[in-house]
Amino acid sequence: LSAWSVTGVLNSTGHPDEGILVSGEAIRALAPTLETAPERVRALYGQLHLVQAISLARNGEDGAAWRAWDAADAVARSLAGDAVEPVTRFGQANVAAHTVAIPAELGQAKKATDAAERLDVATLPSVERRSRYLLDVARGFVGQREDVAAFHVLTAAERESVEELQYSVLAAELVRERLSRSHGTIRHDVQDMGRRLGVLPE
C-alpha cells in the first residue's frame, strides 16, 4: 500500500521514472507470495501494476505501460465476482478506466476518447476514481480540440465532486487550456467554472 501511494505521489509530482522503480520493487517482493496469497494481496499486486502503467505512460513507454496493464487485467479477472480492494478500489472497473488513462497520459487523445465509449462511468467504485476518469476523458477531447465536448465532460466531473476538481492540477490545466481558445457563450461558462474551481479569481 505504501509503494502504491508513493508511486502515485511520484507520478503526480513529475517523477515517473522513480515511480517505476518503487512500484517495481513492490511487485517483485509480492510476486513469490501470490500462489498462496489471499485475494486482497493479489488485488494489491494488480493495483501496483496499474499505477506502474501510469508511471510508464508518463515516461513515454507505450508498450511497457500496456504490458503492466495486461498484468493488472489478468489479476482483476482472477478475483471472485466483482471484488473491489477497499483502499485502492482495484477491480475490473478500475482496470477498464485505465484504458482511457494510459492513452491520455501517452498523448493519444483519440484513443482515449474511443476507449471511453466502452465504459460506463457509473461502474467505477469511488467518487475519486469517477472524477479522475472524467478528467482523462476531458483531456482526450481537449487534445482533439473538441472543446465543447471537453467542457461537457468537465461539467460532469464537477457534478461528481467539485472538491476533487478544486485540488486537481489536471483540472486546472484543462480549464486554462479551454480558456486560451474558447469564445462566445461557452467562454463565459468556462470562466464561471474556472472561478468555482479557484483557477480564476472570484
Side-chain angles (χ1 to χ4, degrees), residues 28-175:
R28 286 189 292 275
L30 280 181
T33 75
L34 293 181
E35 189 172 336
T36 57
E39 280 208 334
R40 189 176 183 204
V41 173
R42 288 193 286 124
L44 291 171
Y45 181 76
Q47 185 64 37
L48 283 163
H49 279 90
L50 279 187
V51 75
Q52 184 178 70
I54 296 300
S55 298
L56 290 161
R58 289 194 174 188
N59 217 36
E61 299 182 44
D62 190 330
W66 286 112
R67 286 192 293 275
W69 182 89
D70 284 338
D73 185 51
V75 172
R77 292 176 185 277
S78 76
L79 301 179
D82 296 324
V84 174
E85 199 283 319
V87 176
T88 68
R89 313 306 290 166
F90 179 81
Q92 291 188 30
N94 197 1
V95 171
H98 281 70
T99 63
V100 176
I102 292 169
E105 294 290 356
L106 288 164
Q108 299 166 351
K110 181 69 164 55
K111 199 171 190 178
T113 55
D114 285 350
E117 293 181 5
R118 299 188 290 272
L119 180 64
D120 179 1
V121 66
T123 64
L124 296 173
S126 71
V127 168
E128 183 278 331
R129 186 63 258 171
R130 290 191 294 272
S131 298
R132 177 63 203 210
Y133 164 77
L134 289 167
L135 287 177
D136 285 329
V137 177
R139 176 161 46 163
F141 282 123
V142 167
Q144 296 171 80
R145 302 185 74 84
E146 294 187 26
D147 291 339
V148 173
F151 176 72
H152 285 305
V153 177
L154 284 169
T155 300
E158 187 181 15
R159 283 197 304 269
E160 191 65 51
S161 174
V162 67
E163 292 85 2
E164 287 286 344
L165 266 66
Q166 284 174 333
Y167 295 100
S168 168
V169 172
L170 176 57
E173 289 174 352
L174 292 173
V175 170

Side-chain angles (χ1 to χ4, degrees), residues 4-17:
W4 166 70
S5 180
V6 168
T7 302
V9 171
L10 290 168
N11 286 345
S12 64
T13 54
H15 302 284
D17 50 340

